[in-house]
């Protein structure tokens, strides 16, 4: 069995070490130094060169190195018959939730206002807490953990997704109920998978339907957001600001306007980074399941895109 890691530009030495510790019999090959393409049965991908998978004639399983699979499904030459899995584990979920909670609390307790006041030596005790109704878009493994934790902190939380859901303990909207959902909230967290349906969903029309002063947190994908529309919506007052971790082009170009917008706080796609220690056991387990013909963990539906 041979596994190929195809993640150009990423230092994968820790992945190799962790695989070796988990099972020294597994042969790991790392792109671009793939020695024996015929022996590769499983690939682990992050931003792979499009079209490369057709070079592996014995491939049986495609694994995303992270939670998202948009980077895989956007390759038109992906072998459509092969299963695709993603990483779902507490090592991704807990950091993501902590990041989102931090951004929500900063808005709720107006950290930016107090930081600005500090610089100006202003002592203003008025309105110390903003009333926040949170809207979480995307209620899968990551989104539902955020909802649970925010509810524990006492926030009113509303969910939005693609399809109907049962057995949930929060108000939930889906499909064409977006306008109703937006009317309930003044803080929106985008945690949606990136699919043709959700691409550009955070656009000017969306922002203009938001309650005035709504705050936006995007920890999903840069392509959910029409970036110039966010700037217009901030100018118009529909949006009061944004906390962003993802961008249409990463790294964010140095001449990008977001760097200099006071209402925008940005971080460099670090909200949640895959931890090989917890991701690798599930990849190995899936490989074993594939061999024994048992259902895979965390397999995505390529039609839905998540
Ligand atoms: C990160 O963005 C991921 O998809 O894991």
């Amino acid at each position: 069995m041979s596994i190929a890691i195809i993640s150009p530009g990423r230092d994968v030495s820790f992945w190799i070490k962790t695989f070796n510790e988990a099972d020294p019999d597994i042969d790991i090959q790392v792109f671009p130094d793939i020695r024996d393409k015929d022996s590769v049965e499983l690939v682990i991908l992050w931003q792979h060169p499009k079209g490369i998978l057709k070079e592996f004639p014995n491939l049986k399983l495609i694994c995303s190195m992270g939670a998202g699979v948009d980077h895989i499904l956007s390759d038109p030459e992906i072998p459509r018959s092969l299963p695709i899995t993603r990483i779902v584990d507490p090592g991704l979920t807990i950091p993501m939730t902590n990041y989102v909670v931090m951004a929500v609390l900063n808005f709720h307790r107006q950290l930016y206002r107090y930081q600005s006041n500090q610089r100006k030596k202003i002592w203003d005790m008025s309105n110390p807490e903003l009333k926040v109704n949170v809207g979480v878009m995307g209620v899968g493994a990551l989104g539902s953990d955020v909802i649970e934790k925010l509810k524990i902190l006492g926030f009113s939380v509303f969910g939005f997704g693609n399809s109907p859901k049962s057995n949930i303990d929060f108000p939930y909207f889906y499909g064409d109920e977006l306008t109703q959902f937006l009317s309930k909230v003044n803080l929106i967290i985008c945690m949606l998978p990136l699919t043709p349906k959700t691409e550009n969903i955070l656009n000017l029309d969306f922002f203009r339907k938001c309650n005035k002063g709504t705050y936006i947190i995007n920890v999903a994908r840069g392509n959910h957001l029409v970036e110039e529309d966010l700037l217009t919506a901030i100018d118009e007052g529909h949006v009061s600001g944004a906390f962003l971790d993802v961008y249409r082009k990463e790294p964010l170009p140095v001449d990008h306007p977001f760097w200099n917008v006071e209402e925008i706080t940005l971080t460099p796609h670090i909200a949640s980074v895959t931890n090989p220690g917890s991701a690798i056991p599930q990849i190995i387990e899936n490989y074993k399941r594939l061999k024994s013909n048992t259902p895979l963990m965390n397999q995505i539906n390529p039609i839905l895109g998540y």
Side-chain angles (χ1 to χ4, degrees), residues 84-118:
I84 302 173
T85 61
R86 69 192 195 103
I87 302 298
V88 179
D89 85 282
L92 268 180
T93 307
I94 294 171
M96 177 60 92
T97 298
N98 288 347
Y99 178 101
V100 169
V101 168
M102 174 265 303
V104 170
L105 290 176
N106 282 354
F107 176 66
H108 169 56
R109 297 310 306 256
Q110 306 169 79
L111 186 73
Y112 315 107
R113 178 180 150 209
Y114 295 115
Q115 283 174 329
S116 158
N117 285 356
Q118 179 180 349

Side-chain angles (χ1 to χ4, degrees), residues 209-243:
K209 287 182 186 142
C210 288
N211 285 308
K212 275 235 169 231
T214 291
Y215 194 72
I216 307 293
I217 299 172
N218 188 15
V219 287
R221 285 289 181 262
N223 282 17
H224 285 119
L225 173 66
V226 181
E227 294 180 337
E228 58 275 22
D229 285 4
L230 175 64
L231 298 174
T232 308
I234 290 174
D235 284 345
E236 288 180 353
H238 290 282
V239 167
S240 58
F243 206 116

Side-chain angles (χ1 to χ4, degrees), residues 46 64-71 87 92 96 219-221 245-246 269 272-274:
W46 191 258
S64 170
M65 206 177 226
V69 290
D70 49 293
H71 59 104
I87 302 298
L92 268 180
M96 177 60 92
V219 287
R221 285 289 181 262
D245 187 52
V246 288
H269 202 147
S272 180
V273 179
T274 303

